[in-house]
Amino acid sequence: HSSIILMEEKFPYIDSLSSKGFISRMTVALMIDRIRTSKQQPQLYGTQLKIDSLGNYALFPIEDEINVDFRRKEVGLYPLKEYLKEFGLDYVPPKKNE
């Protein structure tokens, strides 16, 4: 919950600690999403929500949303649908093109 400047400055150090097992990959994923959403970029892991104009939770856009649960699993996060239920959101994952 630091400033974007501080997060970007410390990210390489945090990522390095994660690679060595001192910090969870989940923490790095949260930081990546915070940095990206602060810069108006789509998040990668679907960890960041906002309050919409009606006062309801809304998910920030996700890059390559079809593969978000794969990325979440890689870092130890549970499926996005389950996560969003905690906020009263009924998430319907996008369908893969066949």
Side-chain angles (χ1 to χ4, degrees):
H1 294 274
S2 299
S3 73
I4 184 67
I5 295 166
L6 184 60
M7 283 191 286
E8 286 185 308
E9 178 184 310
K10 299 300 181 187
F11 181 78
Y13 178 68
I14 300 294
D15 194 36
S16 171
L17 288 175
S18 177
S19 297
K20 295 173 185 170
F22 295 111
I23 294 177
S24 74
R25 293 302 300 164
M26 188 182 317
T27 299
V28 174
L30 288 163
M31 194 171 188
I32 289 169
D33 278 357
R34 279 200 191 117
I35 290 169
R36 290 177 68 99
T37 56
S38 292
K39 296 168 76 175
Q40 284 73 51
Q41 296 173 343
Q43 57 183 325
L44 297 179
Y45 299 95
T47 64
Q48 301 301 297
L49 299 162
K50 59 186 172 183
I51 304 293
D52 68 16
S53 61
L54 300 174
N56 300 311
Y57 283 110
L59 188 61
F60 278 99
I62 301 171
E63 185 173 301
D64 186 25
E65 191 172 349
I66 288 173
N67 293 304
V68 69
D69 279 334
F70 175 76
R71 288 190 302 276
R72 289 176 66 86
K73 186 176 182 178
E74 284 185 322
V75 297
L77 293 166
Y78 51 93
L80 187 57
K81 184 178 181 102
E82 291 177 34
Y83 174 65
L84 294 177
K85 279 183 186 178
E86 295 177 15
F87 297 93
L89 295 174
D90 186 25
Y91 177 73
V92 179
K95 297 197 185 285
K96 294 183 180 182
N97 293 334
E98 297 179 24

